[in-house]
mmCIF file of all heavy atoms in Angstrom:
data_model
loop_
_atom_site.group_PDB
_atom_site.id
_atom_site.type_symbol
_atom_site.label_atom_id
_atom_site.label_comp_id
_atom_site.label_asym_id
_atom_site.label_seq_id
_atom_site.Cartn_x
_atom_site.Cartn_y
_atom_site.Cartn_z
ATOM 1 N N ARG A 547 -5.520 -0.521 13.549
ATOM 2 C CA ARG A 547 -4.160 -0.019 13.338
ATOM 3 C C ARG A 547 -3.582 0.528 14.636
ATOM 4 O O ARG A 547 -2.460 0.276 14.968
ATOM 5 C CB ARG A 547 -4.160 1.048 12.251
ATOM 6 C CG ARG A 547 -3.478 0.453 11.004
ATOM 7 C CD ARG A 547 -3.020 1.505 10.094
ATOM 8 N NE ARG A 547 -4.154 2.034 9.376
ATOM 9 C CZ ARG A 547 -4.144 3.221 8.807
ATOM 10 N NH1 ARG A 547 -3.085 3.994 8.916
ATOM 11 N NH2 ARG A 547 -5.173 3.635 8.138
ATOM 12 N N PHE A 587 -10.677 -13.129 26.846
ATOM 13 C CA PHE A 587 -11.827 -13.031 27.744
ATOM 14 C C PHE A 587 -11.386 -12.668 29.145
ATOM 15 O O PHE A 587 -10.319 -13.083 29.607
ATOM 16 C CB PHE A 587 -12.579 -14.369 27.797
ATOM 17 C CG PHE A 587 -13.250 -14.700 26.492
ATOM 18 C CD1 PHE A 587 -12.760 -15.732 25.694
ATOM 19 C CD2 PHE A 587 -14.351 -13.971 26.061
ATOM 20 C CE1 PHE A 587 -13.369 -16.035 24.494
ATOM 21 C CE2 PHE A 587 -14.966 -14.267 24.859
ATOM 22 C CZ PHE A 587 -14.471 -15.299 24.063
ATOM 23 N N PHE A 597 -5.626 -10.508 39.250
ATOM 24 C CA PHE A 597 -5.756 -11.020 40.615
ATOM 25 C C PHE A 597 -4.412 -11.358 41.235
ATOM 26 O O PHE A 597 -4.268 -11.460 42.431
ATOM 27 C CB PHE A 597 -6.676 -12.257 40.646
ATOM 28 C CG PHE A 597 -8.128 -11.921 40.427
ATOM 29 C CD1 PHE A 597 -8.512 -10.635 40.052
ATOM 30 C CD2 PHE A 597 -9.113 -12.878 40.611
ATOM 31 C CE1 PHE A 597 -9.854 -10.314 39.859
ATOM 32 C CE2 PHE A 597 -10.452 -12.563 40.420
ATOM 33 C CZ PHE A 597 -10.823 -11.291 40.034
ATOM 34 N N ILE A 627 -6.307 2.083 32.423
ATOM 35 C CA ILE A 627 -5.541 0.833 32.499
ATOM 36 C C ILE A 627 -4.665 0.710 31.253
ATOM 37 O O ILE A 627 -3.492 0.371 31.331
ATOM 38 C CB ILE A 627 -6.463 -0.400 32.637
ATOM 39 C CG1 ILE A 627 -7.165 -0.371 33.999
ATOM 40 C CG2 ILE A 627 -5.666 -1.701 32.493
ATOM 41 C CD1 ILE A 627 -8.128 -1.518 34.238
ATOM 42 N N TRP A 639 6.955 -0.396 39.377
ATOM 43 C CA TRP A 639 8.283 -0.952 39.644
ATOM 44 C C TRP A 639 9.277 -0.235 38.728
ATOM 45 O O TRP A 639 9.560 -0.704 37.615
ATOM 46 C CB TRP A 639 8.303 -2.469 39.387
ATOM 47 C CG TRP A 639 9.560 -3.099 39.879
ATOM 48 C CD1 TRP A 639 10.631 -3.517 39.131
ATOM 49 C CD2 TRP A 639 9.912 -3.375 41.245
ATOM 50 N NE1 TRP A 639 11.616 -4.025 39.933
ATOM 51 C CE2 TRP A 639 11.192 -3.950 41.245
ATOM 52 C CE3 TRP A 639 9.273 -3.166 42.479
ATOM 53 C CZ2 TRP A 639 11.846 -4.339 42.422
ATOM 54 C CZ3 TRP A 639 9.916 -3.551 43.638
ATOM 55 C CH2 TRP A 639 11.179 -4.139 43.600
ATOM 56 N N PRO A 640 9.772 0.920 39.162
ATOM 57 C CA PRO A 640 10.593 1.737 38.265
ATOM 58 C C PRO A 640 11.956 1.137 37.912
ATOM 59 O O PRO A 640 12.560 1.568 36.937
ATOM 60 C CB PRO A 640 10.781 3.064 39.015
ATOM 61 C CG PRO A 640 9.975 2.978 40.258
ATOM 62 C CD PRO A 640 9.498 1.577 40.436
ATOM 63 N N LYS A 649 14.042 -8.938 45.241
ATOM 64 C CA LYS A 649 12.975 -9.668 45.895
ATOM 65 C C LYS A 649 11.648 -8.927 45.708
ATOM 66 O O LYS A 649 11.642 -7.697 45.659
ATOM 67 C CB LYS A 649 13.342 -9.653 47.386
ATOM 68 C CG LYS A 649 12.824 -10.746 48.208
ATOM 69 C CD LYS A 649 13.272 -10.511 49.642
ATOM 70 C CE LYS A 649 12.073 -10.774 50.520
ATOM 71 N NZ LYS A 649 12.296 -10.536 51.904
ATOM 72 N N THR A 653 6.096 -6.708 38.866
ATOM 73 C CA THR A 653 6.181 -6.578 37.406
ATOM 74 C C THR A 653 5.255 -7.600 36.757
ATOM 75 O O THR A 653 4.931 -8.619 37.363
ATOM 76 C CB THR A 653 7.613 -6.887 36.911
ATOM 77 O OG1 THR A 653 8.009 -8.155 37.428
ATOM 78 C CG2 THR A 653 8.600 -5.849 37.365
ATOM 79 N N VAL A 675 -18.876 -16.610 32.803
ATOM 80 C CA VAL A 675 -18.576 -16.383 34.220
ATOM 81 C C VAL A 675 -18.450 -17.741 34.905
ATOM 82 O O VAL A 675 -19.373 -18.552 34.839
ATOM 83 C CB VAL A 675 -19.708 -15.564 34.893
ATOM 84 C CG1 VAL A 675 -19.330 -15.220 36.331
ATOM 85 C CG2 VAL A 675 -19.994 -14.298 34.086
ATOM 86 N N LEU A 715 5.825 16.695 57.798
ATOM 87 C CA LEU A 715 6.920 16.243 58.632
ATOM 88 C C LEU A 715 6.300 16.068 60.016
ATOM 89 O O LEU A 715 5.615 16.981 60.489
ATOM 90 C CB LEU A 715 7.939 17.373 58.646
ATOM 91 C CG LEU A 715 9.404 17.082 58.802
ATOM 92 C CD1 LEU A 715 10.161 18.199 58.135
ATOM 93 C CD2 LEU A 715 9.802 16.979 60.229
ATOM 94 N N ILE A 718 6.837 11.352 66.277
ATOM 95 C CA ILE A 718 6.055 10.424 67.095
ATOM 96 C C ILE A 718 6.967 10.014 68.255
ATOM 97 O O ILE A 718 7.770 9.086 68.128
ATOM 98 C CB ILE A 718 5.655 9.155 66.297
ATOM 99 C CG1 ILE A 718 5.156 9.515 64.887
ATOM 100 C CG2 ILE A 718 4.634 8.326 67.068
ATOM 101 C CD1 ILE A 718 3.866 10.278 64.843
ATOM 102 N N ILE A 727 15.774 -3.715 72.163
ATOM 103 C CA ILE A 727 16.261 -4.022 70.817
ATOM 104 C C ILE A 727 15.032 -4.435 70.039
ATOM 105 O O ILE A 727 14.158 -5.112 70.593
ATOM 106 C CB ILE A 727 17.222 -5.220 70.862
ATOM 107 C CG1 ILE A 727 18.316 -4.972 71.896
ATOM 108 C CG2 ILE A 727 17.823 -5.490 69.501
ATOM 109 C CD1 ILE A 727 18.981 -6.252 72.323
ATOM 110 N N ARG A 729 13.062 -6.061 66.398
ATOM 111 C CA ARG A 729 13.262 -6.908 65.219
ATOM 112 C C ARG A 729 12.496 -6.409 64.014
ATOM 113 O O ARG A 729 12.844 -6.736 62.884
ATOM 114 C CB ARG A 729 12.912 -8.368 65.536
ATOM 115 C CG ARG A 729 11.447 -8.623 65.829
ATOM 116 C CD ARG A 729 11.201 -10.077 66.265
ATOM 117 N NE ARG A 729 9.941 -10.176 66.962
ATOM 118 C CZ ARG A 729 8.786 -10.541 66.379
ATOM 119 N NH1 ARG A 729 8.762 -10.870 65.106
ATOM 120 N NH2 ARG A 729 7.681 -10.588 67.084
ATOM 121 N N GLU A 753 20.977 9.031 77.665
ATOM 122 C CA GLU A 753 20.554 9.132 79.069
ATOM 123 C C GLU A 753 20.751 10.563 79.596
ATOM 124 O O GLU A 753 21.816 11.139 79.436
ATOM 125 C CB GLU A 753 21.393 8.128 79.874
ATOM 126 C CG GLU A 753 21.037 7.993 81.334
ATOM 127 C CD GLU A 753 19.738 7.214 81.550
ATOM 128 O OE1 GLU A 753 19.545 6.191 80.863
ATOM 129 O OE2 GLU A 753 18.932 7.644 82.402
ATOM 130 N N ASP A 785 17.924 18.801 75.328
ATOM 131 C CA ASP A 785 17.562 20.005 76.089
ATOM 132 C C ASP A 785 18.645 21.081 76.034
ATOM 133 O O ASP A 785 18.362 22.265 76.130
ATOM 134 C CB ASP A 785 17.252 19.631 77.546
ATOM 135 C CG ASP A 785 15.959 18.812 77.629
ATOM 136 O OD1 ASP A 785 15.135 18.923 76.692
ATOM 137 O OD2 ASP A 785 15.794 18.053 78.601
ATOM 138 N N VAL A 803 4.032 -2.794 50.140
ATOM 139 C CA VAL A 803 5.350 -3.291 50.534
ATOM 140 C C VAL A 803 5.302 -3.741 51.983
ATOM 141 O O VAL A 803 4.858 -3.010 52.855
ATOM 142 C CB VAL A 803 6.428 -2.196 50.376
ATOM 143 C CG1 VAL A 803 7.783 -2.706 50.820
ATOM 144 C CG2 VAL A 803 6.482 -1.714 48.936
ATOM 145 N N GLY A 878 16.226 25.521 33.792
ATOM 146 C CA GLY A 878 16.124 25.264 32.359
ATOM 147 C C GLY A 878 17.117 24.246 31.824
ATOM 148 O O GLY A 878 17.193 24.053 30.616
ATOM 149 N N LYS A 919 37.731 -4.436 34.892
ATOM 150 C CA LYS A 919 37.306 -5.567 34.056
ATOM 151 C C LYS A 919 35.965 -6.138 34.499
ATOM 152 O O LYS A 919 35.285 -6.798 33.748
ATOM 153 C CB LYS A 919 38.371 -6.666 34.099
ATOM 154 C CG LYS A 919 39.630 -6.235 33.352
ATOM 155 C CD LYS A 919 40.251 -7.412 32.622
ATOM 156 C CE LYS A 919 41.320 -6.943 31.654
ATOM 157 N NZ LYS A 919 42.682 -7.313 32.101
ATOM 158 N N ASP A 931 10.455 7.992 39.394
ATOM 159 C CA ASP A 931 9.125 8.345 39.843
ATOM 160 C C ASP A 931 9.200 8.555 41.350
ATOM 161 O O ASP A 931 9.366 7.599 42.105
ATOM 162 C CB ASP A 931 8.152 7.202 39.496
ATOM 163 C CG ASP A 931 6.710 7.554 39.851
ATOM 164 O OD1 ASP A 931 6.498 8.459 40.686
ATOM 165 O OD2 ASP A 931 5.804 6.924 39.299
ATOM 166 N N ILE A 946 30.153 -7.266 47.438
ATOM 167 C CA ILE A 946 30.986 -6.308 46.695
ATOM 168 C C ILE A 946 32.388 -6.380 47.301
ATOM 169 O O ILE A 946 32.590 -6.057 48.466
ATOM 170 C CB ILE A 946 30.456 -4.862 46.780
ATOM 171 C CG1 ILE A 946 28.984 -4.801 46.321
ATOM 172 C CG2 ILE A 946 31.313 -3.931 45.921
ATOM 173 C CD1 ILE A 946 28.399 -3.409 46.315
#
Side-chain angles (χ1 to χ4, degrees):
R547 251 200 284 159
F587 292 109
F597 288 8
I627 293 179
W639 190 256
K649 206 182 136 183
T653 53
V675 185
L715 210 153
I718 316 293
I727 307 160
R729 66 185 160 96
E753 185 74 42
D785 291 337
V803 179
K919 290 217 168 110
D931 184 339
I946 305 182

